[in-house]
């Protein structure tokens, strides 16, 4: 009779082959990003108005 070898066990996946776990941003992080965007938009519009009104000299603006 021939001797059969048992099947080799499958090794567990290594961290490099597993899918990364991504966590969803919390509500505070999402709100903060929107607030920063609006703040930058408002600041840009204020600077534009100041240049158009003449409060900031034209030579100062590149």
């Amino acid at each position: 009779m021939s001797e059969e070898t048992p099947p080799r066990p499958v090794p567990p996946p290594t961290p490099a082959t597993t899918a990364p776990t991504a966590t969803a941003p919390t509500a505070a992080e999402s709100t903060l990003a929107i607030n920063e965007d609006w703040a930058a938009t408002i600041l840009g519009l204020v600077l534009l108005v100041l240049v158009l009104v003449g409060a900031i000299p034209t030579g100062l603006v590149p």
Side-chain angles (χ1 to χ4, degrees):
M1 297 196 156
S2 65
E3 186 177 318
E4 293 183 21
T5 58
R8 294 173 52 183
V10 177
T14 59
T17 59
T18 58
T21 57
T23 57
T26 61
E29 291 173 349
S30 298
T31 305
L32 181 62
I34 292 171
N35 287 341
E36 290 172 1
D37 291 341
W38 278 113
T41 302
I42 292 169
L43 179 63
L45 290 174
V46 168
L47 288 173
L48 178 65
V49 168
L50 289 174
V51 168
L52 293 176
V53 169
I56 299 177
T58 309
L60 188 61
V61 180

